[in-house]
Amino acid sequence: MTQKYDAVIIGGGHNGLVCAFYLARAGLKVRILERRNVVGGAAVTEEFHPGFRNSVASYTVSLLQPKVIADMRLADHGYRVIERPISNLLPQEDGGYLKLGGGLERTQAEFRRFSKHDADVLPAYYDSLEVVAEVLRDLALKSPPNAGDGWRGLIDAALQGRKLAGLSIEAQRDVLDLFTKSARGLLDGWFESEAVKAAFGFDAVVGNYASPDTPGSAYVLLHHVFGEVNGKKGAWGHSVGGMGNITRIMGEVCRKLGVEISLESPVDQVLVDGDRAVGVRLESGEEIAATRVIANVGPKLLYGKMIAQSDLDPDFQRRMKSFKTGSGTFRMNVALSELPTFTCLPEPGEHHQSGIIIAPTLDYMDRAFLDAKTHGWSKKPIVEMLIPSTVDDSLAPEGQHVASLFCQQFAPELPDGRDWDAEEDKAADTIIDTVEEYAPGFRASILGRQVLSPKGLERKFGLVGGDIMHGNLTLDQMWSARPVLGHGAYRGPLKGLYMCGSGTHPGGGVTGAPGHNCAHEVLADKGRFGRFRT
């Protein structure tokens, strides 16, 4: 084996970089092992057509923790986020549109065109979400109480439950609704306009292979609203230079602290001695010894392929085999000769700098999911388009543009034995046809495209089933049960094995929270006198 490290981290995605930063800052000798030739995991920027660059998978900023941004001093190294002028535009099937965002009064005025009632109740709806979102923000940077930890687990649970217990009975009812109801069930209790319900319901199906009628989908809606940009809660924005600029900066910060980052170093297996993880073996055959092995890959990949089954408890094996993955996501990037012209708003405007969502009703979203289950993908998919080149001229030649197309619903595995490699171009054409209905001429403006089906996302980024969340955000796979009850506090079933990816609390998105929390648990275990924070 090579020289021994205090920690080796499998995967150089953003959570692995965040984890490495905190460990190195505390004086540990850390090495990151990244399979690809660039750090960043799914948060990378690449040229996909000559002269055109874009964020390849992760594509927008909100959930990255302010504490992580401050601790790593990302802004000092060039981190910059441009806020969307409005959150989203939703073109409607009748040729109209709905805009969401730009401030409460402006959104109320927009809603009033569809329903006076919906405009009037909007402040109360926002207040109800914010109360719960504030609790989640507080929990995001705390390790969940770990089942099986005896008194320590009970004390942790009591401390973390205080805020929930201190909520009013009305707020506690909202918590129950958000964690158990479907998105439609929640939104029907507030709003009457189908367009308004769709504007909020879209967040419930982002990275969620489910219908807005699926119980628990209301939580996914909430998961996407507890972020912030530049101190503005709930805002979304564009990272200048793409998402890859964030992880590039993180990599630089880590290297300055002495973290070794090895690219093109895919890990084949976690090495185990008795009941302890003692290092890793690369696909090249090189073995690297470490006191701690920290996995920034998803639980399905880690426990299904990187650890010998004989080294895992049978019950744990069984539960990991049933760990649910598959976000129903299809990603495209397109190089454009010109801005899309939308029938509902044909002139260039603020909508081109915001999210453009093709999903006009909850029924539309439900049909997309049912189509995917039957056929493999939606006949009319859910599409979110962002055109970051409207605010960042480093991404495309002058006068031309790049667009991100984030699309749902696409089966992680196609029915009838079909293969995504043979079908992905047909699915991509369906996506373009869908956009064309709302923006005639879009197809003709495409100069090149990058297509990533669920299988393509797995092959490129190691996302099993193309799951951008590393595992479904369902009640049985959240908080202390993410990825499985008894191992929710970032520690694996082997001594010296830790997890820092999105398959742990608080889940997916570019948050940095799992990396932050895992590092603090590693340091707590290292401390001679119990827990401490750095």
Side-chain angles (χ1 to χ4, degrees):
M1 287 190 180
T2 60
Q3 65 182 117
K4 190 170 184 178
Y5 293 84
D6 293 318
V8 293
I9 297 177
I10 305 172
H14 81 281
N15 276 312
L17 294 166
V18 170
C19 185
F21 163 78
Y22 285 106
L23 296 181
R25 193 177 72 170
L28 273 64
K29 184 178 182 181
V30 183
R31 183 173 176 183
I32 293 175
L33 303 167
E34 168 55 44
R35 179 175 64 91
R36 301 185 69 224
N37 63 356
V38 61
V39 297
V44 289
T45 304
E46 293 179 2
E47 184 177 76
F48 66 94
H49 186 73
F52 293 82
R53 302 164 56 245
N54 202 15
S55 304
V56 179
S58 302
Y59 61 102
T60 189
V61 182
S62 176
L63 302 178
L64 186 58
Q65 288 290 322
K67 183 178 188 297
V68 170
I69 295 169
D71 287 349
M72 296 188 78
R73 300 179 65 181
L74 299 183
D76 294 347
H77 295 81
Y79 170 81
R80 182 179 168 223
V81 176
I82 299 174
E83 299 163 39
R84 300 183 191 179
I86 57 173
S87 299
N88 296 313
L89 168 79
L90 281 82
Q92 296 297 298
E93 292 174 313
D94 63 1
Y97 64 86
L98 182 148
K99 289 182 179 181
L100 180 68
L104 173 61
E105 291 182 0
R106 186 175 175 190
T107 303
Q108 283 183 287
E110 185 75 4
F111 281 14
R112 201 163 282 116
R113 297 194 298 113
F114 293 83
S115 164
K116 179 181 182 301
H117 168 271
D118 291 0
D120 291 343
V121 301
L122 182 61
Y125 174 75
Y126 278 159
D127 287 346
S128 73
L129 280 189
E130 181 55 29
V131 168
V132 184
E134 192 57 39
V135 173
L136 291 183
R137 290 188 191 105
D138 180 65
L139 292 178
L141 289 181
K142 293 179 179 175
S143 297
N146 203 48
D149 277 1
W151 284 107
R152 172 181 158 183
L154 290 173
I155 291 170
D156 284 349
L159 290 173
Q160 293 192 27
R162 281 189 306 180
K163 279 203 170 183
L164 285 172
L167 295 177
S168 67
I169 188 61
E170 293 81 8
Q172 290 184 41
R173 290 170 184 154
D174 289 337
V175 171
L176 183 63
D177 286 349
L178 284 160
F179 277 85
T180 60
K181 283 189 174 182
S182 70
R184 190 193 299 267
L186 175 77
L187 294 168
D188 279 349
W190 283 97
F191 303 110
E192 59 186 20
S193 164
E194 293 304 315
V196 168
K197 285 185 274 190
F200 293 121
F202 168 73
D203 281 334
V205 298
V206 172
N208 188 20
Y209 187 50
S211 163
D213 294 327
T214 302
S217 56
Y219 171 75
V220 184
L221 178 157
L222 180 65
H223 182 80
H224 287 91
V225 303
F226 71 80
E228 62 182 76
V229 167
N230 301 331
K232 296 183 180 179
K233 292 178 180 178
W236 291 82
H238 168 73
S239 169
V240 175
M243 299 299 287
N245 194 47
I246 300 174
T247 50
R248 178 191 62 78
I249 293 169
M250 287 180 170
E252 289 180 0
V253 171
C254 286
R255 287 187 178 99
K256 287 178 181 177
L257 284 173
V259 176
E260 295 181 41
I261 300 178
S262 300
L263 303 176
E264 298 181 310
S265 299
V267 171
D268 177 59
Q269 190 169 23
V270 174
L271 300 174
V272 178
D273 184 6
D275 61 352
R276 176 175 289 278
V278 296
V280 298
R281 180 186 299 118
L282 303 184
E283 289 183 5
S284 66
E286 178 186 358
E287 294 186 348
I288 301 168
T291 305
R292 304 160 189 85
V293 176
I294 304 172
N296 187 34
V297 297
K300 205 78 168 177
L301 180 57
L302 174 65
Y303 297 113
K305 295 184 178 180
M306 291 185 170
I307 298 179
Q309 296 304 291
S310 58
D311 290 323
L312 297 172
D313 174 81
D315 183 72
F316 183 87
Q317 288 182 47
R318 179 176 66 83
R319 294 183 185 280
M320 278 295 95
K321 285 179 181 177
S322 63
F323 183 78
K324 299 188 294 295
T325 60
S327 60
T329 301
F330 195 108
R331 272 288 281 119
M332 288 180 66
N333 290 302
V334 291
L336 301 175
S337 62
E338 60 185 7
L339 276 178
T341 299
F342 289 87
T343 302
C344 64
L345 278 176
E347 297 301 317
E350 62 186 0
H351 58 288
H352 285 112
Q353 299 175 18
S354 306
I356 301 162
I357 296 172
I358 297 175
T361 65
L362 295 180
D363 284 343
Y364 181 106
M365 300 179 206
D366 180 49
R367 286 194 299 270
F369 175 63
L370 296 177
D371 279 351
K373 288 187 68 177
T374 304
H375 174 63
W377 65 80
S378 335
K379 296 174 184 176
K380 291 188 175 182
I382 300 163
V383 181
E384 180 183 21
M385 178 191 294
L386 293 182
I387 312 172
S389 52
T390 56
V391 296
D392 184 354
D393 60 11
S394 72
L395 301 178
E398 185 176 356
Q400 299 178 320
H401 292 278
V402 294
S404 300
L405 301 177
F406 177 89
C407 312
Q408 298 277 138
Q409 301 284 352
F410 296 79
E413 293 185 8
L414 291 172
D416 306 320
R418 289 148 53 213
D419 189 276
W420 269 118
D421 285 342
E423 303 275 345
E424 66 178 10
D425 281 336
K426 297 176 188 175
D429 288 340
T430 301
I431 292 166
I432 292 168
D433 289 342
T434 301
V435 177
E436 182 81 15
E437 289 185 31
Y438 294 86
F442 178 72
R443 178 182 293 278
S445 71
I446 297 175
L447 304 173
R449 70 188 193 186
Q450 180 184 40
V451 175
L452 289 169
S453 68
K455 184 177 179 180
L457 288 167
E458 178 169 349
R459 181 166 47 225
K460 191 175 183 73
F461 299 115
L463 303 171
V464 176
D467 195 327
I468 62 172
M469 302 289 189
H470 282 197
N472 296 171
L473 290 174
T474 49
L475 194 58
D476 61 319
Q477 294 187 178
M478 286 164 48
W479 200 42
S480 291
R482 190 167 183 88
V484 64
L485 201 65
H487 297 287
Y490 309 97
R491 296 170 183 84
L494 300 167
K495 294 177 182 177
L497 178 65
Y498 297 82
M499 299 167 285
C500 73
S502 294
T504 60
H505 172 76
V510 180
T511 71
H516 168 279
N517 297 352
C518 177
H520 284 71
E521 291 306 316
V522 170
L523 296 175
D525 289 347
K526 179 178 180 291
R528 294 180 61 190
F529 303 106
R531 292 173 174 246
F532 62 91
R533 294 289 183 257
T534 63

